[in-house]
Amino acid sequence: MGSSTGDLVTRVQSAHLFDHDALFRFAADNVSGFPTNPFQFKVSQFGHGQSNPTFLIEVGSESSLKRYVLRKKPPGKLLQSAHAVEREFQVLRALGEHTQVPVPKVFCLCTDPTVIGTAFYIMEFMEGRIFIDPKLPNVAPERRSALYRATAKALASLHSADVDAIGLENYGRRGNYCKRQIDRWFKQYLASTSEGKPERNTKMFELVDWLRKSIPAEDSTGATSGLVHGDFRIDNLVFHPSEDRVIGIIDWELSTLGNQMCDVAYSCMHYIVNVQLDNEHVSEGLETAGLPEGMLSLPEFLLEYCSASGKPWPAANWKFYVAFSMFRAASIYTGVYNRWLMGNASAGERARNTGTQANELIESALGYIARDNVLPEHPPSVQRDMSPSYESLVDGSGRFIPNRKVLELRHKLIKFMETHIYPMENEFSKLAQSDKRWTIHPEEEKLKEMAKREGLWNLFVPVDSAARARRELAATENKHNLSGRSFDQLFGEGLTNLEYGYLCEIMGRSVWAPQVFNCGAPDTGNMEVILRYGNKEQISEWLIPLLEGKIRSGFAMTEPQVASSDATNIECSIRRQGDSYVINGTKWWTSGAMDPRCRVLILMGKTDFNAPKHKQQSMILVDMRTPGIRVKRPLTVFGFDDAPHGHAEISFENVVVPAKNILLGEGRGFEIAQGRLGPGRLHHCMRLIGAAERGMELMAQRALSRKTFGKFIAQHGSFVSDLAKLRVELEGTRLLVLEAADHLDKFGNKKARGILAMAKVAAPNMALKVLDTAIQVHGAAGVSSDTVLAHLWATARTLRIADGPDEVHLGTIGKLELQRASKL
């Protein structure tokens, strides 16, 4: 358990004694509501921390005791610019009054040193928990991960503050932060080790030289600039007394404007080195010494932060930022040790080891620089926090075992399906076969709201695409009347493609489920296109309503007169005419276009029939309400028209669309298509795994309950053998799909195209085998609408064409195989 904030106090150290009467008079005059005739006025000193001395003020009576916190500069001669409590007060007031960043409320600032000897300010006392040890001893494993996720979100919240909007635009210089910090802290180090002070370490000069030569380009451009805390770590956070959330970020002495990645790296120091005042030496960090059960790994913590903040994965410059953090910590610890020698260190005798630790930090930084690999090139896919219970959920899933976060989501998703989706399947099916088939069942919208509340909304959104959209939409949140929480909710849970695979599979068990979670095709593929390639205006106009689930979309590429598996054949024209494009042509199998909520199509056509064949095509956003669009008819899939979703044949006759609706630019259609072929198309494979699992489940239940020729179907040797073979094939295909998702995360669409093609061939063929056998076991019931099997089979069979014909994927696989052979 964490220490209660009120339990971290001791007697005021002799070096920090001041006039309590003078403090009382000042507080009574300047703090609103401060008791003027108290029964008790007591001042204690917080023992935690080693920078600006901090004190607890208790004033009032036993029945109405009020608590405040005083933070002041230490006594004695101080290094230039150090211990600026005035700046702490400024940033706390700005954040407290204008943002949702969790900080204590500040009441007053005193810059008159005649009151208690140095400048100080008074703020509220926050009743909560502080965790001194980052290993979180005596904390339940599942709560450790929750506390670390809360820490990552608190840092992301801080970094999301708009300094220009809250009066902190001049709080520091934004560019060249690391260069200035290196110069500043090296100067402080030299000042702390001048004549008659701690001995200098010559290796510090070597470290500084490497840092100056290795400053990332993003530091000078200000690409990573914003508000910086400067000392962000878990023991500078106050957590709620019982809930695993941050209620206060404290100790803002080093805050300024600058490179926020320095904050991120410093917050991760305990993963790399263990530095505590009470220890004599610096020791191994959590990543080397071993993570406590339930603890997020360093990559997992970074993924939480990147997801919440919209920042890119920091692998490229991570070594610099960590080495910089160690360098700065070494400089600070040297200063603390110097103050200890002079007798005015606020940590007292606990600071006696800081000189040794400073030198060991310098050694650790140089050792870290020498390492080849310090962080995975891509965000984590399969994470360390594995659950042994997964085997009971999906038997024999091999080395791909989901982390705790995914398992929790998976459990919630399965429960939601069992409680809300499966019981409604017959109702949805009845409406889809009635004369009101092209209307929406009112229960569907209710289920959507439930899914949002349970955090099961937009789970498909990849963490990297979400980061791009957040950056584009940073200033448009209020335009859409979204609160911070609802805005964040739009971008899912920050999952990788691999992580989403475990969840998408569950949704695939029902033809109705994906749309309830806003994870259905073609919306997921279309949203991914706009997430990746849309500009700020397109994202704001079309993506946000799609992410909210207020509208749906269609993808218009296939044409009735040409073989559209070769997209160079398409004939639909998109002609530029002034500030508009004019579209003429016919599309069919435009999935989703029959849905009454469908408001936008992504249409692929030709903007230049004379350009090189892969530069002729463009994609454009088309409002379904535009004059000249005519939905000619719904098309059926083995007799299923998939109402109210539907697959439409649509004609476009002189349809005028604003030029601003073009995606990425003219001639970029193939480029976009290749990007879309990854995540969106792989989702079909993931769902097919779920469809096959549903088939296996229904088949086994039927075999255990129905008799033929005097014994249960499950007792027939031929059935048992077939069931076993299907399980082998299903598990093999699952592994292939997960492997494809992992490759997609690590290497991108282009490099993963071979294994993606394999998954697209294997998944529908496997699902068809399973579902065909399940239908056979059910007999006549299997081909009827009394079970979901026929509909699942029709969908799986269609995907052997709709998701690109098997022949195209096999061609890709074969060509890659021959290319490899030719290089041997």
Side-chain angles (χ1 to χ4, degrees), residues 12 31 189 219 275 373-374 444 453 575 623 727 765 811:
V12 178
V31 178
Y189 179 81
D219 186 68
V275 188
N373 299 307
V374 295
E444 182 181 322
R453 289 196 298 269
R575 299 288 190 186
D623 190 324
R727 172 52 68 187
N765 280 284

Side-chain angles (χ1 to χ4, degrees), residues 503-748:
L503 309 175
C504 187
E505 173 188 327
I506 305 301
M507 299 178 202
R509 296 185 180 191
S510 170
V511 293
W512 308 101
Q515 62 202 42
V516 170
F517 305 105
N518 213 37
C519 292
D523 293 324
T524 53
N526 289 341
M527 286 189 271
E528 178 70 2
V529 165
I530 305 174
L531 278 162
R532 286 177 178 265
Y533 305 110
N535 58 37
K536 185 179 296 184
E537 187 174 354
Q538 292 164 349
I539 290 173
S540 181
E541 183 176 2
W542 296 112
L543 179 63
I544 292 297
L546 282 167
L547 288 170
E548 289 181 293
K550 292 181 177 178
I551 65 172
R552 296 201 67 183
S553 63
F555 187 71
M557 186 186 82
T558 308
E559 297 179 5
Q561 301 303 319
V562 297
S564 303
S565 57
D566 177 2
T568 61
N569 288 336
I570 61 174
E571 299 174 339
C572 182
S573 66
I574 309 173
R575 299 288 190 186
R576 184 67 183 254
Q577 192 176 87
D579 292 329
S580 303
Y581 285 100
V582 180
I583 302 171
N584 281 284
T586 299
K587 297 289 185 181
W588 70 342
W589 297 108
T590 306
S591 296
M594 295 298 301
D595 194 308
R597 298 161 296 185
C598 184
R599 287 290 178 269
V600 63
L601 303 175
I602 294 181
L603 180 139
M604 187 162 176
K606 290 186 177 179
T607 45
D608 187 350
F609 284 70
N610 298 313
K613 69 177 184 177
H614 288 96
K615 295 292 183 180
Q616 298 177 5
Q617 297 78 10
S618 301
M619 287 193 188
I620 193 166
L621 294 162
V622 183
D623 190 324
M624 275 289 286
R625 297 165 294 187
T626 308
I629 295 177
R630 183 166 72 93
V631 178
K632 298 174 71 174
R633 58 171 177 147
L635 300 169
T636 61
V637 180
F638 293 105
F640 295 98
D641 59 15
D642 289 324
H645 180 59
H647 318 279
E649 181 177 354
I650 307 176
S651 66
F652 298 81
E653 187 173 344
N654 295 322
V655 175
V656 180
V657 179
K660 66 179 183 179
N661 284 21
I662 200 81
L663 281 163
L664 208 58
E666 289 188 13
R668 309 288 292 274
F670 259 89
E671 178 183 344
I672 297 171
Q674 291 306 307
R676 187 182 187 275
L677 289 177
R681 292 281 177 94
L682 189 58
H683 296 169
H684 284 309
C685 299
M686 296 169 176
R687 284 188 287 265
L688 284 168
I689 300 297
E693 281 289 358
R694 185 85 182 274
M696 292 287 285
E697 177 183 311
L698 293 174
M699 184 192 335
Q701 290 173 353
R702 181 79 169 192
L704 289 167
S705 62
R706 287 298 179 103
K707 286 184 177 182
T708 60
F709 305 105
K711 57 182 179 181
F712 289 108
I713 297 173
Q715 294 174 320
H716 290 274
S718 59
F719 169 78
V720 173
S721 177
D722 290 342
L723 187 67
K725 291 176 182 176
L726 291 171
R727 172 52 68 187
V728 170
E729 189 161 350
L730 193 158
E731 293 302 331
T733 306
R734 173 185 278 114
L735 286 174
L736 181 61
V737 172
L738 293 175
E739 186 79 39
D742 196 32
H743 274 62
L744 194 58
D745 290 328
K746 291 177 177 176
F747 309 117

Side-chain angles (χ1 to χ4, degrees), residues 319-592:
K319 183 180 289 186
F320 168 86
Y321 289 121
V322 171
F324 169 82
S325 295
M326 293 188 194
F327 151 77
R328 197 190 66 163
S331 297
I332 293 172
Y333 270 47
T334 302
V336 172
Y337 184 62
N338 182 43
R339 291 201 302 276
W340 178 78
L341 291 175
M342 294 187 295
N344 67 346
S346 62
E349 279 301 298
R350 297 175 67 232
R352 68 180 300 115
N353 299 317
T354 51
T356 299
Q357 291 176 330
N359 287 326
E360 291 176 347
L361 278 167
I362 295 169
E363 293 283 353
S364 296
L366 291 171
Y368 196 79
I369 290 168
R371 289 171 55 179
D372 291 331
N373 299 307
V374 295
L375 192 69
E377 185 178 350
H378 300 279
S381 298
V382 180
Q383 300 178 16
R384 177 186 301 269
D385 187 14
M386 298 178 180
S387 169
S389 64
Y390 185 61
E391 186 175 354
S392 66
L393 295 174
V394 179
D395 293 335
S397 59
R399 67 182 179 87
F400 289 109
I401 301 178
N403 59 59
R404 190 178 299 277
K405 175 182 177 180
V406 174
L407 278 176
E408 290 171 357
L409 287 169
R410 196 172 186 277
H411 176 75
K412 288 170 63 176
L413 193 57
I414 290 172
K415 184 177 180 181
F416 195 102
M417 294 280 289
E418 292 174 346
T419 307
H420 304 294
I421 302 293
Y422 299 143
M424 282 298 300
E425 283 183 322
N426 285 336
E427 290 298 313
F428 289 146
S429 183
K430 286 179 184 176
L431 179 64
Q433 296 175 49
S434 72
D435 55 1
K436 296 181 180 179
R437 57 163 47 85
W438 302 111
T439 63
I440 308 303
H441 199 293
E443 198 65 23
E444 182 181 322
E445 294 304 316
K446 293 179 183 178
L447 291 177
K448 285 183 175 181
E449 292 305 313
M450 291 175 63
K452 288 180 184 178
R453 289 196 298 269
E454 293 195 25
L456 299 173
W457 188 255
N458 288 341
L459 295 173
F460 77 94
V461 179
V463 61
D464 56 344
S465 297
R468 178 183 185 272
R470 287 176 193 272
R471 291 195 297 273
E472 292 288 336
L473 290 170
T476 65
E477 179 177 322
N478 291 335
K479 175 181 177 181
H480 296 279
N481 297 316
L482 296 168
S483 66
R485 183 177 182 278
S486 59
F487 183 76
D488 289 339
Q489 188 184 53
L490 294 183
F491 300 100
E493 291 295 313
L495 303 175
T496 62
N497 286 294
L498 176 59
E499 289 171 329
Y500 177 59
Y502 300 107
L503 309 175
C504 187
E505 173 188 327
I506 305 301
M507 299 178 202
R509 296 185 180 191
S510 170
V511 293
W512 308 101
Q515 62 202 42
V516 170
F517 305 105
N518 213 37
C519 292
D523 293 324
T524 53
N526 289 341
M527 286 189 271
E528 178 70 2
V529 165
I530 305 174
L531 278 162
R532 286 177 178 265
Y533 305 110
N535 58 37
K536 185 179 296 184
E537 187 174 354
Q538 292 164 349
I539 290 173
S540 181
E541 183 176 2
W542 296 112
L543 179 63
I544 292 297
L546 282 167
L547 288 170
E548 289 181 293
K550 292 181 177 178
I551 65 172
R552 296 201 67 183
S553 63
F555 187 71
M557 186 186 82
T558 308
E559 297 179 5
Q561 301 303 319
V562 297
S564 303
S565 57
D566 177 2
T568 61
N569 288 336
I570 61 174
E571 299 174 339
C572 182
S573 66
I574 309 173
R575 299 288 190 186
R576 184 67 183 254
Q577 192 176 87
D579 292 329
S580 303
Y581 285 100
V582 180
I583 302 171
N584 281 284
T586 299
K587 297 289 185 181
W588 70 342
W589 297 108
T590 306
S591 296

Side-chain angles (χ1 to χ4, degrees), residues 161-457:
D162 185 346
V163 293
D164 297 311
I166 63 176
L168 292 177
E169 63 274 8
N170 297 316
Y171 194 60
R173 288 180 287 167
R174 307 186 198 200
N176 295 308
Y177 172 81
C178 291
K179 180 181 183 301
R180 290 184 284 106
Q181 285 283 299
I182 292 168
D183 292 340
R184 172 193 172 184
W185 288 108
F186 189 49
K187 183 178 179 181
Q188 300 281 47
Y189 179 81
L190 294 176
S192 296
T193 56
S194 59
E195 187 174 347
K197 295 179 181 178
E199 184 178 351
R200 286 178 184 167
N201 186 339
T202 56
K203 290 188 176 180
M204 181 61 124
F205 294 81
E206 180 184 344
L207 175 58
V208 169
D209 183 60
W210 183 89
L211 289 170
R212 284 173 170 164
K213 293 177 180 177
S214 306
I215 297 173
E218 62 193 16
D219 186 68
S220 61
T221 64
T224 52
S225 69
L227 181 61
V228 173
H229 180 272
D231 195 17
F232 192 92
R233 56 182 195 255
I234 199 166
D235 59 336
N236 274 333
L237 304 178
V238 180
F239 288 83
H240 186 277
S242 59
E243 300 172 11
D244 297 329
R245 60 184 176 89
V246 176
I247 60 172
I249 304 172
I250 57 177
D251 199 349
W252 290 78
E253 180 200 342
L254 300 177
S255 62
T256 185
L257 300 187
N259 191 326
Q260 294 178 328
M261 287 311 301
C262 294
D263 258 355
V264 180
Y266 192 74
S267 72
C268 294
M269 282 273 285
H270 59 283
Y271 284 108
I272 301 152
V273 289
N274 179 25
V275 188
Q276 295 187 39
L277 282 180
D278 294 328
N279 295 343
E280 184 177 352
H281 298 284
V282 171
S283 57
E284 294 177 334
L286 297 181
E287 288 278 282
T288 304
L291 288 170
E293 184 182 358
M295 186 78 71
L296 296 185
S297 67
L298 171 58
E300 288 170 337
F301 178 84
L302 288 176
L303 184 59
E304 288 287 335
Y305 167 81
C306 292
S307 176
S309 65
K311 302 281 188 183
W313 186 245
N317 298 306
W318 187 245
K319 183 180 289 186
F320 168 86
Y321 289 121
V322 171
F324 169 82
S325 295
M326 293 188 194
F327 151 77
R328 197 190 66 163
S331 297
I332 293 172
Y333 270 47
T334 302
V336 172
Y337 184 62
N338 182 43
R339 291 201 302 276
W340 178 78
L341 291 175
M342 294 187 295
N344 67 346
S346 62
E349 279 301 298
R350 297 175 67 232
R352 68 180 300 115
N353 299 317
T354 51
T356 299
Q357 291 176 330
N359 287 326
E360 291 176 347
L361 278 167
I362 295 169
E363 293 283 353
S364 296
L366 291 171
Y368 196 79
I369 290 168
R371 289 171 55 179
D372 291 331
N373 299 307
V374 295
L375 192 69
E377 185 178 350
H378 300 279
S381 298
V382 180
Q383 300 178 16
R384 177 186 301 269
D385 187 14
M386 298 178 180
S387 169
S389 64
Y390 185 61
E391 186 175 354
S392 66
L393 295 174
V394 179
D395 293 335
S397 59
R399 67 182 179 87
F400 289 109
I401 301 178
N403 59 59
R404 190 178 299 277
K405 175 182 177 180
V406 174
L407 278 176
E408 290 171 357
L409 287 169
R410 196 172 186 277
H411 176 75
K412 288 170 63 176
L413 193 57
I414 290 172
K415 184 177 180 181
F416 195 102
M417 294 280 289
E418 292 174 346
T419 307
H420 304 294
I421 302 293
Y422 299 143
M424 282 298 300
E425 283 183 322
N426 285 336
E427 290 298 313
F428 289 146
S429 183
K430 286 179 184 176
L431 179 64
Q433 296 175 49
S434 72
D435 55 1
K436 296 181 180 179
R437 57 163 47 85
W438 302 111
T439 63
I440 308 303
H441 199 293
E443 198 65 23
E444 182 181 322
E445 294 304 316
K446 293 179 183 178
L447 291 177
K448 285 183 175 181
E449 292 305 313
M450 291 175 63
K452 288 180 184 178
R453 289 196 298 269
E454 293 195 25
L456 299 173
W457 188 255

Side-chain angles (χ1 to χ4, degrees), residues 92-168:
L92 284 169
R93 184 171 62 180
L95 292 172
E97 292 178 357
H98 303 295
T99 75
Q100 297 299 311
V101 179
V103 293
K105 179 182 179 181
V106 291
F107 297 110
C108 61
L109 170 70
C110 177
T111 57
D112 182 0
T114 66
V115 178
I116 63 170
T118 64
F120 68 93
Y121 65 92
I122 298 174
M123 59 182 166
E124 72 171 320
F125 170 79
M126 306 189 88
E127 185 69 55
R129 296 171 293 162
I130 291 181
F131 296 90
I132 307 297
D133 189 341
K135 294 191 292 292
L136 304 182
N138 302 318
V139 174
E142 64 272 16
R143 301 196 74 176
R144 286 176 180 148
S145 60
L147 289 165
Y148 267 63
R149 289 191 179 99
T151 300
K153 289 178 181 177
L155 183 57
S157 170
L158 186 165
H159 286 173
S160 299
D162 185 346
V163 293
D164 297 311
I166 63 176
L168 292 177

